[in-house]
């Protein structure tokens, strides 16, 4: 029975995962490197709850209950009685392996270990633990409280019962799971990121304007947002990093990043966060 969840890293994703877990009745132990690092994620959760109260979707009493279930700590020892750990730290294999070793040392033998990585190898992370069979990928989408999908990724040694436990757990959060084999970027981003890259190539070749590309994909392919507007939202630096990693991992030239994307990143035009991307936000 999964009752208590460990969340490692309380950034954009970790805080979103923690929020959804406490809302669904789970107790959460969130681990950060320093107390102050909780501030950003906590502010995000408080904003979401404030809005829910204003809309009448949440009561003050419920919020108090949620808060009681949300425990924040910088001590790894506090993971000793969690049933399921989700790692959501920086997307870097060396950092993640280091974290996986620490998790492995501090949890009970039957505890499941999950990574929220967007595309790094689950098998490689699992290899540094004492029992790689209890490790899998549980890939939430941003923003976690809103997005319905979770990709479940089996590593080379993931045991079937671990996969089933994870599936039941994410469904209990009101999410839908899809079953994905380990591969670069998994399934959704493997399709989405090259699609955005192709949209940038279409722009770069002067085939259509940014506005028309986005209009075309919204009205012609029924996408809720155009690929270039989405690129600005994700951040062009993040997109370039992900596209480059896909190319490196597959060594397939079809995944080469659009030169225009690289040029814009070099110019510091990273999308919404810098006020300038394919569109002007200033
Ligand atoms: P973030 O940078 O917002 O948060 C990472 C957090 O991890 C930071 O608060 C940092 O202090 C903490 N951290 C780093 N090292 C730590 C350690 N040793 N111990 C405890 N905490 C530590 O990153 P974000 O965006 O939340 O991404 C986290 C993971 O989720 C990454 O693997 C990323 O690829 C994945 N992801 C991100 C999505 C996004 O849209 N941001 C979407 C889906 C997955």
């Amino acid at each position: 029975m999964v009752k208590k969840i460990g969340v490692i890293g309380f950034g954009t994703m970790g805080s979103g995962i923690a929020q959804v877990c406490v809302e669904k009745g789970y107790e959460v132990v969130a681990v950060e490197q320093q107390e102050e690092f909780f501030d950003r994620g906590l502010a995000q959760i408080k904003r979401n709850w404030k809005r829910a109260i204003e809309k009448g979707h949440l009561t003050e009493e419920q919020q108090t209950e949620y808060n009681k279930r949300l425990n924040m700590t910088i001590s790894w020892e506090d993971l000793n009685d969690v049933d399921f750990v989700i790692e959501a730290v920086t997307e870097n294999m060396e950092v993640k392996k280091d974290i996986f070793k620490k998790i492995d040392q501090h949890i009970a033998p039957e505890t499941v270990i999950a990574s929220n990585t967007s595309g790094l190898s689950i098998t490689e992370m699992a290899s540094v633990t004492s029992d790689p069979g209890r490790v899998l990928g549980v890939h939430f989408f941003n923003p976690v409280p809103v997005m319905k999908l979770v990709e479940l990724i089996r590593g080379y040694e993931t045991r079937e019962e671990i996969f089933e436990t994870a599936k039941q757990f994410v469904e209990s959060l009101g999410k839908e799971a899809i079953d994905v084999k380990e591969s670069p970027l998994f399934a959704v981003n493997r399709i989405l990121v090259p699609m955005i890259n192709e949209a940038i190539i279409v722009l770069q070749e002067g085939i259509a304007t940014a506005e028309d590309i986005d209009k075309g994909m919204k009205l012609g392919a029924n996408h809720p947002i155009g690929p270039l507007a989405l690129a600005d939202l994700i951040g062009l630096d993040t997109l370039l990093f992900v596209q480059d990693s896909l190319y490196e991992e597959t060594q397939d030239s079809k995944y080469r990043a659009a030169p225009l994307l690289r040029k814009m990143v070099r110019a510091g035009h990273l999308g919404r966060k810098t006020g300038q991307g394919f569109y002007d936000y200033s």
Side-chain angles (χ1 to χ4, degrees):
M1 262 301 270
V2 174
K3 287 194 183 134
K4 196 165 180 179
I5 315 297
V7 175
I8 319 299
F10 205 68
T12 307
M13 297 304 287
S15 63
I17 294 166
Q19 178 191 328
V20 171
C21 288
V22 296
E23 287 176 358
K24 294 293 179 185
Y26 291 100
E27 180 131 0
V28 169
V29 177
V31 181
E32 259 291 350
Q33 311 174 80
Q34 294 177 31
E35 300 277 0
E36 317 76 272
F37 291 0
F38 282 109
D39 295 350
R40 178 169 63 104
L42 209 49
Q44 183 179 302
I45 294 177
K46 293 266 156 71
R47 261 196 312 278
N48 292 343
W49 285 343
K50 186 164 177 275
R51 215 175 305 131
I53 288 173
E54 283 163 5
K55 285 187 180 164
H57 297 159
L58 178 70
T59 64
E60 298 277 358
E61 293 71 36
Q62 280 171 315
Q63 190 188 15
T64 309
E65 286 305 310
Y66 293 171
N67 269 317
K68 276 192 209 152
R69 289 200 284 270
L70 180 57
N71 308 288
M72 282 160 281
T73 180
I74 53 167
S75 166
W76 289 82
E77 278 69 35
D78 294 333
L79 289 177
N80 64 357
D81 61 347
V82 300
D83 307 301
F84 201 107
V85 178
I86 305 168
E87 166 280 309
V89 305
T90 323
E91 187 78 341
N92 175 300
M93 183 55 85
E94 292 319 307
V95 174
K96 296 218 191 251
K97 278 187 180 168
D98 204 40
I99 299 281
F100 266 57
K101 279 187 209 154
K102 280 210 187 108
I103 295 172
D104 196 49
Q105 284 161 14
H106 289 94
I107 57 174
E110 61 280 5
T111 303
V112 178
I113 311 179
S115 173
N116 186 53
T117 176
S118 310
L120 298 175
S121 167
I122 302 300
T123 304
E124 190 172 345
M125 286 175 222
S127 73
V128 302
T129 69
S130 54
D131 177 13
R134 65 166 163 172
V135 177
L136 85 166
V138 173
H139 181 215
F140 288 84
F141 288 74
N142 185 19
V144 181
V146 177
M147 301 298 278
K148 281 271 171 239
L149 183 71
V150 176
E151 287 182 311
L152 294 179
I153 300 110
R154 293 167 209 263
Y156 186 64
E157 296 187 62
T158 308
R159 282 190 295 276
E160 193 54 36
E161 87 262 15
I162 296 292
F163 188 87
E164 284 308 317
T165 301
K167 189 162 185 224
Q168 280 174 20
F169 166 62
V170 303
E171 286 174 354
S172 77
L173 298 177
K175 307 290 183 199
E176 300 252 359
I178 61 170
D179 183 344
V180 182
K181 292 212 177 65
E182 179 169 313
S183 61
L185 301 193
F186 310 137
V188 173
N189 287 335
R190 173 72 169 267
I191 298 165
L192 183 67
V193 174
M195 190 271 293
I196 295 173
N197 193 56
E198 197 63 30
I200 301 170
I201 294 171
V202 170
L203 177 71
Q204 168 192 300
E205 291 183 359
I207 296 166
T209 63
E211 288 78 7
D212 276 356
I213 290 167
D214 279 354
K215 189 174 172 184
M217 292 306 286
K218 281 199 288 185
L219 302 184
N222 226 3
H223 290 194
I225 179 171
L228 301 173
L230 182 57
D232 281 352
L233 202 63
I234 295 170
L236 303 197
D237 51 343
T238 304
L239 266 178
L240 179 61
F241 173 79
V242 173
Q243 185 71 37
D244 278 345
S245 67
L246 179 58
Y247 177 66
E248 263 162 45
E249 184 80 20
T250 57
Q251 292 295 313
D252 189 332
S253 64
K254 76 177 173 182
Y255 295 125
R256 261 191 324 220
L260 175 61
L261 173 61
R262 198 176 302 282
K263 205 182 278 180
M264 288 175 72
V265 170
R266 284 179 177 156
H269 291 189
L270 308 182
R272 279 180 188 257
K273 62 183 162 190
T274 60
Q276 183 68 52
F278 294 104
Y279 297 95
D280 186 359
Y281 303 91
S282 56

